[in-house]
Amino acid sequence: MTELRTSTWSTQRRRRVSIGLVLAVFASPMLVGGEVGAVAVAQQVATPLFTVDTPADAPDADVGDGTCATSTGECSLRAAVAEANESADATIEVPAGTYVLDNAAGSDTGDLDLSAPMTIRGAARQPGDAATTLVGSADRVFEVLSGGITREGLVISGGRVDKGDGGGVLVGRYLDGVTTVRNSTVIGNTAKNGAGIATLDDLVVEGSTFVANVATGSGGGIDVGNRGSLLASNSTFDANMANDGGGISTAGATTLLAVTVTSNESNNSSGGGVSRSGGSLDISGSILAGNIGSNSPRDCSGSPTFAAQNIVESTPGCNPTGTPLLIADPLLGPLQDNGGPTQTRLPDEASPAIDAVVNGVEYTPCVTETDQRGVVRPSGDLCDIGSVEVAPLSVDVTLAVSAEAPDAPCPEGVTCVGVGVSSVPVDRIPSESIVATVAI
């Protein structure tokens, strides 16, 4: 059951920044009883924490004063980013709610420019009232101008850059450090290239879902430039569209580990799922299926290199290299809530992705330690291919012993009592009958 959260926005004026203290211990020579000793000296290192308390998109009143406060004294997301840009390694906590980036006052308008290392942390919930949803307004949502930036637990949506790159997020080049997107949903963004994310530098994506992003050029979900790199793990790319590379288009160095790339489309035959036009494309433990290019099945193009076990439903135009592929329908369910902070596509119980054996080779060890939802791999004897590890079904029941005789006949020589199920707190139970021995 998904827990719902409600947020109450406070209008009380107060200082909205917490300072964490880090103790740095170093030796200081001093004379103690005629001998040189050492004393531990505590050095305070400021690590700001800004907590957003309003959905309003208003600028900071005094950028650089260390306080996240608009002219009305509230801490908006825009104000928190402005203060974080003036500090080092700040953390911004953004509670559940919808944040539309529509500020039209002053010079701080449009997208949020991130120019210093920081972490922006949301509620880590699937799209809905319990999520932290950031909505672009006639611009992208984020532009990354510094390395060392992490965004986690967010829904990034509604970004739009008609003639530019990066509808949801644009990662600039020559950055000092890696940009990370974790446990987030990137949905409904548009751009020329990289509707979800366009990266010109190093990008890491973990446990995230890219859905319904539309690019008129390349990379509906993600576009990797020729000087960029992508390491994506335990993530899902579903129903994205582009002229080239509906799910992912790459001209840089791209590695996909335990990802599921499904139902994406491109307008030409260059890979509805993933398309490589340069650089390298290495894929391990992943599913590419149901993708369309130029109205025909096209899961990949550009000669990607495969390792470990993988399922590719359609190989025309792909020219794969590396380990053999399982060419089959992975039998996936729809994109939906299967647990965890993002929506996923759960393999059917008959799916060849479960406890996979490809051309007689067992899938072990797993390429990632957990799946997109945080389930430990493997859950069975072997690993499952794709972003979801199917855990064995476990049913919790409460049994009540009845004094009445059971309806079914009792085996000879065995004493039987009636046992009734008083509650079954799951929404999915096996269709087969269950025989259980109950100690009395």
Side-chain angles (χ1 to χ4, degrees):
M1 179 180 295
T2 301
E3 178 187 353
L4 296 180
R5 297 181 180 179
T6 59
S7 299
T8 301
W9 300 105
S10 172
T11 58
Q12 180 181 359
R13 296 175 64 92
R14 64 185 185 276
R15 185 177 180 86
R16 294 174 177 82
V17 57
S18 300
I19 302 295
L21 299 181
V22 178
L23 297 182
V25 180
F26 59 92
S28 175
M30 62 178 297
L31 191 62
V32 180
E35 298 180 358
V36 175
V39 62
V41 177
Q43 181 182 22
Q44 294 184 349
V45 180
T47 54
L49 169 63
F50 302 106
T51 302
V52 174
D53 60 13
T54 177
D57 186 31
D60 193 68
D62 188 3
V63 177
D65 68 348
T67 301
C68 175
T70 66
S71 60
T72 60
E74 297 170 310
C75 181
S76 69
L77 175 58
R78 187 174 296 277
V81 167
E83 289 297 334
N85 284 336
E86 298 296 320
S87 60
D89 299 318
T91 296
I92 300 174
E93 298 280 1
V94 192
T98 300
Y99 303 81
V100 180
L101 303 178
D102 58 359
N103 177 57
S107 59
D108 189 359
T109 61
D111 62 0
L112 299 175
D113 294 337
L114 312 180
S115 59
M118 70 180 75
T119 296
I120 302 176
R121 182 176 297 125
R125 296 302 178 105
Q126 298 180 16
D129 293 341
T132 299
T133 303
L134 312 184
V135 183
S137 179
D139 201 347
R140 64 177 61 88
V141 178
F142 291 113
E143 183 169 0
V144 178
L145 304 173
S146 169
I149 291 175
T150 298
R151 280 147 299 177
E152 57 186 37
L154 303 174
V155 176
I156 300 172
S157 66
R160 186 179 187 91
V161 185
D162 291 335
K163 297 182 180 180
D165 299 341
V169 180
L170 174 62
V171 180
R173 64 178 59 186
Y174 306 123
L175 306 181
D176 185 14
V178 174
T179 297
T180 302
V181 175
R182 180 182 299 123
N183 296 337
S184 294
T185 299
V186 181
I187 179 172
N189 302 281
T190 59
K192 180 179 178 181
N193 301 308
I197 299 179
T199 182
L200 305 175
D201 212 282
D202 298 330
L203 172 66
V204 172
V205 173
E206 301 171 347
S208 296
T209 292
F210 291 70
V211 57
N213 301 286
V214 179
T216 57
S218 59
I222 297 178
D223 182 68
V224 184
N226 59 5
R227 296 189 180 183
S229 73
L230 169 65
L231 172 58
S233 62
N234 293 325
S235 294
T236 298
F237 296 81
D238 191 82
N240 303 284
M241 297 182 66
N243 190 56
D244 174 68
I248 300 170
S249 177
T250 179
T254 293
T255 300
L256 307 180
L257 303 176
V259 303
T260 296
V261 183
T262 50
S263 302
N264 303 282
E265 293 187 33
S266 67
N267 293 329
N268 60 36
S269 59
S270 297
V274 295
S275 174
R276 169 182 171 264
S277 60
S280 59
L281 176 56
D282 299 302
I283 304 174
S284 300
S286 298
I287 294 173
L288 280 62
N291 302 287
I292 301 297
S294 190
N295 299 317
S296 298
R298 290 288 189 275
D299 287 323
C300 50
S301 68
S303 299
T305 300
F306 290 89
Q309 278 69 23
N310 302 271
I311 294 177
V312 178
E313 187 176 11
S314 174
T315 58
C318 187
N319 300 314
T321 62
T323 58
L325 305 173
L326 177 58
I327 302 174
D329 182 347
L331 301 177
L332 302 180
L335 186 71
Q336 64 181 15
D337 181 359
N338 294 305
T342 53
Q343 293 185 340
T344 54
R345 298 192 64 172
L346 184 73
D348 182 80
E349 61 183 10
S351 170
I354 299 175
D355 290 342
V357 178
V358 178
N359 295 324
V361 180
E362 297 180 341
Y363 181 18
T364 183
C366 308
V367 297
T368 59
E369 295 181 352
T370 62
D371 78 349
Q372 185 168 341
R373 304 164 300 164
V375 174
V376 175
R377 297 183 190 264
S379 63
D381 294 332
L382 302 175
C383 310
D384 296 349
I385 299 175
S387 62
V388 178
E389 183 80 10
V390 180
L393 180 63
S394 104
V395 180
D396 295 329
V397 296
T398 302
L399 301 178
V401 178
S402 169
E404 300 177 2
D407 295 334
C410 188
E412 183 178 354
V414 176
T415 301
C416 296
V417 296
V419 178
V421 177
S422 62
S423 66
V424 181
V426 294
D427 57 6
R428 179 181 169 197
I429 60 175
S431 58
E432 299 86 358
S433 61
I434 300 176
V435 177
T437 301
V438 181
I440 304 298

